[in-house]
């Protein structure tokens, strides 16, 4: 069919005009939903490990765990799109999983595969595991680090801009054990830009951001974080292999409360993976994948063996 555009009045050659229209450069392809980045170079004697970070996080957050893996293990970080603040973040678990799958298959065309997902990244890791099982691939392990059971209720994913920022602040404080002194009452009267400047200033004072950095540098991570919070996920099937779910203590709960939360996590995942195993981790949701806690976790998951 001819383009539904009018040719110029002084264009004598309609066929040439049509040919020129079709010769125009094609639109650029959309960016990949994930980027594959090596975290540790090993050898061919160990199953490669593919790591997916949590909501709004960089694969750098899993670097300590990657370095704690066996010296001969290849560890690859799968970075979801959007952290740069330019490309749009993924708004679907399945979109991210579909993007990761060919990269995993290219990096590991044969042999067993290990998957690790932290927090929201656990949902993506689980979706990738289901796709790999459909293709008959062997999964040496699927480890979900403090990943809440999936929810298919859109209402559970509803949150406004202030709620997103408050949850972000809560995670930042978990990672440093240092309160930023910001609460809902302080943020609510402020416009969005002033909220960002306040959070950035407090993070800079805590040494979490360079003092001379631009508050806009946080936008990419915050947009990714918001997209993940607003995403609901219903697994496409059940996983018939062993699924290991790591529960990391909540510092706001006592021992009994953490026991209850750990059991709810195990029971929730058991609806999608009958062979689920619960593992108790150290630290908290953020510190449990860093430093000495990462080393202990690598040992318990067999990544360092």
């Amino acid at each position: 069919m001819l383009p539904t555009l009018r040719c110029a009045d002084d264009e004598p050659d309609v066929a040439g005009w049509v040919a020129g229209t079709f010769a125009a450069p094609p639109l650029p392809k959309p960016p990949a939903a994930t980027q594959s980045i090596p975290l540790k170079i090993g050898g061919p004697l160990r199953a490669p490990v593919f790591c997916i970070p949590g909501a709004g996080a960089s694969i750098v957050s899993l670097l300590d765990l990657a370095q704690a893996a066996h010296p001969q293990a290849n560890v690859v970080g799968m970075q979801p799109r959007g952290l740069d603040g330019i490309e749009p973040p993924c708004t679907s678990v399945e979109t991210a999983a579909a993007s990761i799958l060919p990269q995993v298959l290219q990096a590991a065309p044969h042999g067993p595969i290990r998957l690790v997902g932290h927090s929201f990244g656990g949902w993506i890791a689980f979706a990738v595991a289901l796709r790999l099982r459909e293709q008959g691939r062997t999964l040496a392990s699927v480890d979900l680090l403090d990943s809440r059971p999936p929810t298919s209720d859109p209402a559970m994913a509803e949150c406004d801009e202030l709620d997103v920022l408050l949850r972000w602040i809560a995670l930042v404080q978990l990672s440093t054990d240092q309160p930023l002194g910001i609460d809902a009452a302080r943020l609510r009267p402020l416009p969005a830009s002033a909220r960002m400047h306040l959070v950035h200033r407090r993070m800079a004072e805590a040494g979490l951001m360079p003092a001379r950095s631009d508050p806009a540098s946080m936008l990419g991570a915050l947009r990714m974080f918001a997209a993940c919070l607003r995403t609901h996920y219903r697994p496409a099937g059940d996983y018939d292999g062993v699924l290991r779910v790591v529960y990391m203590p909540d510092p706001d709960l006592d021992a009994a409360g953490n026991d209850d939360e750990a059991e709810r996590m195990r029971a929730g995942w058991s609806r999608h993976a009958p062979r689920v195993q619960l593992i108790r981790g150290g630290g908290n949701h953020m510190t449990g994948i860093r430093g000495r806690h990462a080393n202990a976790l690598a040992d318990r998951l067999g990544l360092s063996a």
Side-chain angles (χ1 to χ4, degrees), residues 25-50:
L27 294 174
K29 292 183 178 179
T34 56
Q35 185 179 11
S36 175
I37 303 174
L39 294 178
K40 184 174 185 178
I41 306 298
L45 302 180
R46 294 290 188 283
V49 185
F50 296 89

Side-chain angles (χ1 to χ4, degrees), residues 210-230:
R212 295 182 179 272
S213 61
D214 190 332
S217 61
M218 304 189 326
L219 281 176
L222 273 170
R223 286 171 181 162
M224 286 182 63
F225 184 67
C228 294
L229 288 183
R230 293 165 178 155

Side-chain angles (χ1 to χ4, degrees), residues 89-286:
C90 295
T91 57
S92 162
V93 170
E94 295 295 351
T95 297
S99 177
I100 288 175
L101 183 65
Q103 299 185 53
V104 170
L105 295 176
Q106 181 179 7
H110 51 78
I113 293 168
R114 289 180 179 268
L115 294 175
V116 176
H118 176 233
S119 191
F120 183 82
W123 286 10
I124 301 175
F126 189 79
V128 173
L130 292 179
R131 289 169 179 256
L132 287 169
R133 293 292 272 192
E134 287 178 355
Q135 299 198 12
R137 292 301 301 269
T138 299
L139 288 162
S141 60
V142 180
D143 301 322
L144 312 185
L145 313 182
D146 218 29
S147 297
R148 302 300 173 187
T151 173
S152 58
D153 182 3
M156 296 292 291
E158 289 296 328
C159 53
D160 60 17
E161 180 267 339
L162 179 58
D163 190 32
V164 169
L165 196 54
L166 289 171
R167 296 194 197 186
W168 170 271
I169 292 169
L171 288 180
V172 170
Q173 292 178 154
L174 279 179
S175 67
T176 63
D177 292 326
Q178 178 179 347
L180 297 182
I182 306 174
D183 57 16
R186 180 74 184 275
L187 292 175
R188 187 171 288 110
L190 302 177
S193 60
R195 291 172 179 173
M196 288 288 293
H197 278 80
L198 175 59
V199 173
H200 177 269
R201 187 177 76 248
R202 292 296 175 83
M203 291 181 66
E205 291 170 355
L208 300 173
M209 297 285 292
R212 295 182 179 272
S213 61
D214 190 332
S217 61
M218 304 189 326
L219 281 176
L222 273 170
R223 286 171 181 162
M224 286 182 63
F225 184 67
C228 294
L229 288 183
R230 293 165 178 155
T231 298
H232 53 90
Y233 171 51
R234 174 178 293 174
D238 293 338
Y239 180 67
D240 59 359
V242 174
L243 180 73
R244 298 188 296 192
V245 177
V246 178
Y247 177 79
M248 297 172 183
D250 184 339
D252 292 331
L253 299 177
D254 58 15
N258 274 299
D259 287 344
D260 291 342
E261 282 298 309
E263 175 54 28
R264 273 192 284 270
M265 180 180 285
R266 187 205 64 77
W269 277 109
S270 69
R271 291 193 287 268
H272 309 286
R275 299 173 63 191
V276 65
Q277 295 179 357
L278 180 70
I279 296 175
R280 303 295 287 262
N284 59 43
H285 186 74
M286 300 299 290

Side-chain angles (χ1 to χ4, degrees), residues 40-82:
K40 184 174 185 178
I41 306 298
L45 302 180
R46 294 290 188 283
V49 185
F50 296 89
C51 299
I52 307 169
S58 162
I59 55 172
V60 174
S61 64
L62 293 168
L63 188 57
D64 285 357
L65 187 63
Q67 294 304 310
H70 192 278
Q72 285 296 313
N74 282 306
V75 184
V76 182
M78 310 304 297
Q79 182 64 63
R81 183 183 63 206

